[in-house]
Amino acid sequence: MNIIELVAQWFADPAQWSGPAGIPVRLAEHLAYTGLTLLIAGAIAVPIGMYVGHTGKGRIAVVGAASALRALPTLGLLTLFVLLMGLGLMPPIWALVILTIPPLLAGAYSGIAAVDPTLVDAARGLGMTEWQVLAKVELPNALPVLLGGLRAAVLQVIATVAVVAYINLGGLGRYLIDGLAISDPVRMFGGAILIALLALVVDGILAVVQKFAVSPGLADRRRRKRRETPTVGAVQGGM
Amino acid sequence: MKNLSPARRSIITAAAASALALGLSACGANSNPLEEDTAGPAASPGVSGPLVVGSANFPESQVIGEIYAGALNAAGIEATTKPGIGSREVYVKAVEEGSVDVIPDYSGNLLLFLDPEATAASADEIMEALPAALPEGLSVLEPSPAENKDAMVVTKATAEKYQLSSIEDMGPVCDELVLGANPEFAERGYGLPGLKENYGCEPKSFEPINDAGGPATLKALITDQIQVADIYTTTPSIEDNDLVVLEDPKNNFIAQQVLPLVSSASVGEEATQVLNEVSAALTTEDLIDLNRQVSGDEKRNPADAAADWLKEKGLAE
């Protein structure tokens, strides 16, 4: 029997679909860790990104910090936090948060910074306060880029949440880590397939959300602009 | 050539010269590996020359390898080391092929590698079963009392609270204890199934911690997030933190005595005697101490740590 058939058999086994180590529970755990990580990382990264994008202050520091965070090895961080804080839910989650901040920060910052300055000037000219400029002009205009950053972050987290199984948490990573520990490639393969499927499905959902969340007027305006004044479009594209 | 202008001629000369130079450098590039190959016979199988002492790809094995080589050299038997060869699959083959003459190994795991169906568990049973399981041309020498195996480890406080000195004592109170170990412990025969079968012990819960009894496991044990941990018996943290290794009277964790795996043809009587003396002198505490030197903060060179140990035991000067 080849590995594909064995994996199919693994999925077909009803024992796989119930109990505290069953696929539904592992899937729910995986999504819960992902959600929690994104919430915390979003609460940190998005305001900072918006502030920097809006004011232009601390741009170099933020870009530098985001790149530096990207370079940290997640598994190393995970072990470090466990050594500092002990076992539990939060040490691995903090390691994932650090991994998730860079794409969210980059999305929020570059989205806001890339908004056409003439629009911002016009908004100020109309007498809008800075908050209004941010909320009513910059944020809606930045949404496509911001959501792009979110999608990248979500994919990254779903794929990486598997590492929390390295130290006593659940999630789909359990199939990978336990399968590796007892040399059971079928279980590892099954876990990998589940993670990949989950990532694809969630990314698909986010793509639809992204499509509907962006103001139709904005999409319209962009199209028109590109058609009528190619130079502006080119500049925008370049940013 | 007569008709060629001087300029032409010099071009040809230059071309010839550079071709020659290229040829030479190509030769130079090739000659090194060739030389290494031809220099090989001195250390290669069958030919009498220095004994080659190998070691597996982890520090403890490397120190023991250095100890073997150091003792042999001190006894006037020339020996060189070939450290960090790889895993058991690789080094058993190396001994069979004769590129390595001696390598330290662990009795239980060696037996299970050679015969996955083996049921021997105690030190004596394993030593009885080993010779028959070994491929032709290989043999094992006297085992050392030093052992590196999985063990159930608790803090001193836990040991006192529940009056634990053996896993047998743990049986009745197991349901109050959280056990932390590598993930495979949940399913392997010596793990949770073995504890249940041999000692009637079913822990309150099992926490998989994938660092082979390393710092994260230790942290969880010391902070009482887990009460029992699977830590290898030669890990310095056991001594450093005053941890209690529980006895295993039913050999749930099979014996893993340190012993030399040798190529029978190249290790003579004299060398055998030297290695047997080393095995007799080596203890689990010694391994803890050696591991602390080479894997701890000090990161000592295994050869230096081995030399000190040999001196201390009077096996070398």
Side-chain angles (χ1 to χ4, degrees):
Chain A
M1 208 183 295
N2 67 26
I3 181 111
I4 307 290
E5 286 168 325
L6 288 170
V7 172
Q9 220 170 48
W10 184 81
F11 276 109
D13 183 356
Q16 244 27 282
W17 295 91
S18 62
I23 291 171
V25 174
R26 293 298 185 214
L27 202 62
E29 285 171 343
H30 205 90
L31 283 172
Y33 301 145
T34 305
L36 182 59
T37 303
L38 285 167
L39 269 180
I40 299 174
I44 297 169
V46 173
I48 296 177
M50 291 200 311
Y51 175 82
V52 173
H54 180 74
T55 62
K57 284 180 198 161
R59 195 170 55 87
I60 293 171
V62 161
V63 173
S67 319
L69 289 184
R70 257 182 234 263
L72 289 173
T74 309
L75 194 55
L77 275 182
L78 176 83
T79 311
L80 178 69
F81 283 129
V82 169
L83 289 183
L84 292 174
M85 302 161 66
L87 300 180
L89 175 64
M90 287 320 285
I93 296 291
W94 283 118
L96 289 169
V97 164
I98 287 178
L99 169 88
T100 316
I101 286 177
L104 287 177
L105 190 59
Y109 156 74
S110 53
I112 302 276
V115 173
D116 190 342
T118 56
L119 283 178
V120 179
D121 276 350
R124 290 208 176 97
L126 285 171
M128 284 188 182
T129 64
E130 289 303 304
W131 276 114
Q132 283 172 325
V133 171
L134 182 64
K136 295 191 171 163
V137 179
E138 287 178 321
L139 209 49
N141 276 288
L143 209 54
V145 180
L146 215 154
L147 287 176
L150 178 70
R151 270 176 74 182
V154 170
L155 273 189
Q156 207 171 345
V157 176
I158 287 182
T160 318
V161 156
V163 303
V164 305
Y166 190 76
I167 294 186
N168 93 317
L169 291 187
L172 295 170
R174 278 258 67 91
Y175 297 124
L176 298 182
I177 304 262
D178 294 352
L180 184 64
I182 64 156
S183 312
D184 180 357
V186 173
R187 199 188 305 184
M188 291 172 71
F189 204 166
I193 289 174
L194 285 169
I195 293 172
L197 277 181
L198 182 64
L200 286 175
V201 169
V202 172
D203 193 51
I205 294 171
L206 285 177
V208 174
V209 169
Q210 193 175 10
K211 202 172 160 199
F212 284 101
V214 173
S215 145
L218 189 62
D220 219 32
R221 186 179 63 84
R222 288 196 151 189
R223 264 204 301 279
R224 224 176 22 240
K225 223 170 183 179
R226 211 168 292 141
R227 233 184 2 248
E228 287 167 7
T229 51
T231 38
V232 174
V235 168
Q236 236 182 8
M239 287 200 279
Chain B
M1 284 292 238
K2 234 189 254 170
N3 296 335
L4 295 177
S5 68
R8 263 242 162 113
R9 209 178 304 163
S10 71
I11 288 176
I12 290 173
T13 321
S18 58
L20 187 65
L22 274 175
L24 279 177
S25 65
C27 246
N30 277 340
S31 65
N32 269 340
L34 278 178
E35 245 164 39
E36 260 172 10
D37 272 3
T38 46
S44 86
V47 185
S48 67
L51 283 176
V52 179
V53 181
S55 55
N57 53 351
F58 56 96
E60 184 176 286
S61 179
Q62 287 169 23
V63 186
I64 304 172
E66 293 291 346
I67 285 178
Y68 288 169
L72 289 168
N73 278 319
I77 305 165
E78 210 186 328
T80 59
T81 55
K82 207 179 221 182
I85 293 175
S87 60
R88 193 166 280 107
E89 285 83 356
V90 183
Y91 65 69
V92 169
K93 207 163 200 178
V95 181
E96 276 188 276
E97 288 168 357
S99 57
V100 170
D101 303 310
V102 183
I103 192 157
D105 210 330
Y106 302 90
S107 59
N109 281 344
L110 178 62
L111 178 62
L112 285 182
F113 171 77
L114 299 167
D115 175 13
E117 311 289 309
T119 53
S122 75
D124 294 341
E125 283 166 11
I126 289 171
M127 287 316 295
E128 243 166 72
L130 256 178
L134 281 166
E136 206 173 324
L138 300 195
S139 47
V140 290
L141 306 184
E142 290 290 308
S144 151
E147 262 192 292
N148 180 5
K149 62 172 183 176
D150 292 85
M152 295 287 91
V153 172
V154 298
T155 60
K156 205 159 193 185
T158 306
E160 276 164 14
K161 184 176 169 194
Y162 296 103
Q163 301 287 315
L164 305 178
S165 66
S166 115
I167 310 180
E168 240 164 4
D169 306 330
M170 203 167 86
V173 293
C174 246
D175 55 352
E176 296 173 40
L177 306 172
V178 178
L179 192 153
N182 260 21
E184 62 266 28
F185 196 88
E187 297 170 57
R188 285 267 159 89
Y190 63 83
L192 296 182
L195 288 183
K196 188 179 170 193
E197 196 188 310
N198 289 320
Y199 297 106
C201 164
E202 278 183 273
K204 182 173 156 194
S205 70
F206 173 73
E207 299 291 353
I209 307 174
N210 205 2
D211 72 344
T217 307
L218 183 69
K219 166 92 180 177
L221 185 65
I222 288 176
T223 54
D224 208 31
Q225 287 186 305
I226 60 175
Q227 284 76 49
V228 188
D230 176 12
I231 299 181
Y232 298 123
T233 46
T234 60
T235 312
S237 64
I238 293 179
E239 245 182 44
D240 298 345
N241 297 282
D242 226 357
L243 303 177
V244 177
V245 177
L246 299 179
E247 301 282 328
D248 178 18
K250 297 195 174 159
N251 289 307
N252 178 55
F253 303 103
I254 66 170
Q256 303 286 357
Q257 293 179 291
V258 174
L259 45 63
L261 172 67
V262 303
S263 144
S264 318
S266 38
V267 176
E269 214 166 288
E270 211 183 330
T272 301
Q273 205 180 338
V274 172
L275 292 171
N276 284 347
E277 273 171 34
V278 169
S279 291
L282 187 69
T283 66
T284 305
E285 287 71 33
D286 290 341
L287 285 184
I288 290 182
D289 189 47
L290 291 164
N291 276 331
R292 185 184 295 120
Q293 292 179 42
V294 296
S295 309
D297 296 336
E298 207 183 334
K299 298 271 179 289
R300 254 190 117 191
N301 180 349
D304 295 343
D308 278 1
W309 183 86
L310 285 166
K311 241 180 266 176
E312 193 189 307
K313 299 281 171 173
L315 292 164
E317 306 201 344

